[in-house]
Amino acid sequence: MKYRLTLFFCLAFIFSSSLVFGQLSKQEKKEWKKKAKEFSKSPESLKQLTEEKQAAESQVSSLNQKVTQMQGQISEKDTKLAQLEDELTQAKGQLTATKAELAQLKETPVINPMDFSKGIVFKVQIGAFKNKDLAKYFDNNPNFGGEVKEGEPQKVTIGIFRDYWEADTFKKYMREMGVKDAWIVPYKDGQRVEIKDVLEGVVNEKPAESSK
């Protein structure tokens, strides 16, 4: 019985090895046949070799699974990396646009439209009076103001406009109401200036509705 078992293992080993014998040289075939005879005399060695082979195959299978799992993880990380790179590109684009906007704002500061002490504004002067002191009404009333200089008539203005043509329309209303001396006076950063010094870049093409 022991002899038959040994012979069975030897035949099984030789059969499994015959698949590769066709690829072996004559010398290699000779050596493998010699080993087969040795295993036929020692079934324990053949059994150990078979178990080691099975263990190795199991380990290879386990390693292949781990490799497949790692490849999946690498694929996920590559996808995430591509996504992060795309987000980084977008962030860089937004940063560049923000820097450009900031540089433009530095070159052209934004003026609060309600802060009439900055930039260019237009007022309508309605007269200059020697015997009328209206200075007490000037404070905290941006739409009514004037200039008081010693030895000069007190100049009184009504209205304050960022747009020249709005000021021009208001001036015409004043004249129609009987204020014949109404005329436009410009101010730059709170200081009165000549109209010719602020016309360029401020007085655009005359609107059609203001043509009268």
Side-chain angles (χ1 to χ4, degrees), residues 29-44:
K29 289 180 180 180
K30 184 177 180 180
E31 291 177 357
W32 276 104
K33 287 180 180 180
K34 182 180 178 181
K35 290 181 179 179
K37 290 180 180 180
E38 292 176 354
F39 281 125
S40 67
K41 298 178 181 180
S42 178
E44 292 82 4

Side-chain angles (χ1 to χ4, degrees), residues 90-125:
Q90 293 180 6
K92 287 181 178 180
Q94 293 175 354
L95 178 61
T96 301
T98 301
K99 287 182 177 180
E101 292 178 1
L102 181 60
Q104 184 176 3
L105 288 175
K106 288 182 178 180
E107 293 178 359
T108 309
V110 177
I111 299 175
N112 184 351
M114 300 307 296
D115 183 7
F116 297 106
S117 65
K118 302 294 183 182
I120 299 172
V121 297
F122 301 94
K123 301 179 181 181
V124 176
Q125 181 170 312

Side-chain angles (χ1 to χ4, degrees), residues 2-3 8 17 19 36 59 64 67 73 90 94 100-101 108 114 131 142 151 157 160 163 166 178 191 198 205:
K2 183 177 181 181
Y3 174 76
F8 172 77
S17 300
L19 297 175
Q59 186 176 7
N64 286 334
V67 168
Q73 293 175 351
Q90 293 180 6
Q94 293 175 354
E101 292 178 1
T108 309
M114 300 307 296
N131 301 322
T157 62
I160 184 166
D163 183 80
E166 288 185 5
Q191 299 297 321
V198 297
E205 183 178 353

Side-chain angles (χ1 to χ4, degrees), residues 113-184:
M114 300 307 296
D115 183 7
F116 297 106
S117 65
K118 302 294 183 182
I120 299 172
V121 297
F122 301 94
K123 301 179 181 181
V124 176
Q125 181 170 312
I126 59 174
F129 308 95
K130 291 183 178 180
N131 301 322
K132 299 292 182 181
D133 186 6
L134 302 176
K136 63 181 180 179
Y137 301 108
F138 295 164
D139 294 338
N140 300 320
N141 192 350
N143 288 307
F144 182 78
E147 297 178 24
V148 181
K149 293 183 179 180
E150 187 176 354
E152 295 184 6
Q154 188 178 89
K155 300 173 182 178
V156 178
T157 62
I158 295 179
I160 184 166
F161 308 89
R162 290 284 183 191
D163 183 80
Y164 173 85
W165 295 112
E166 288 185 5
D168 184 65
T169 300
F170 185 72
K171 174 200 70 177
K172 291 176 180 178
Y173 288 157
M174 290 292 99
R175 289 182 178 181
E176 291 174 358
M177 294 170 63
V179 186
K180 301 300 181 180
D181 294 332
W183 60 295
I184 298 173

Side-chain angles (χ1 to χ4, degrees), residues 51-83:
E51 292 175 347
E52 290 176 355
K53 176 176 176 294
Q54 291 175 346
E57 289 176 347
S58 176
Q59 186 176 7
V60 169
S61 177
S62 177
L63 290 173
N64 286 334
Q65 291 179 357
K66 290 182 179 179
V67 168
T68 301
Q69 182 180 3
M70 292 179 67
Q71 287 175 339
Q73 293 175 351
I74 291 174
S75 178
E76 290 178 0
K77 289 182 179 180
D78 288 342
T79 301
K80 184 64 176 179
L81 179 60
Q83 181 181 352

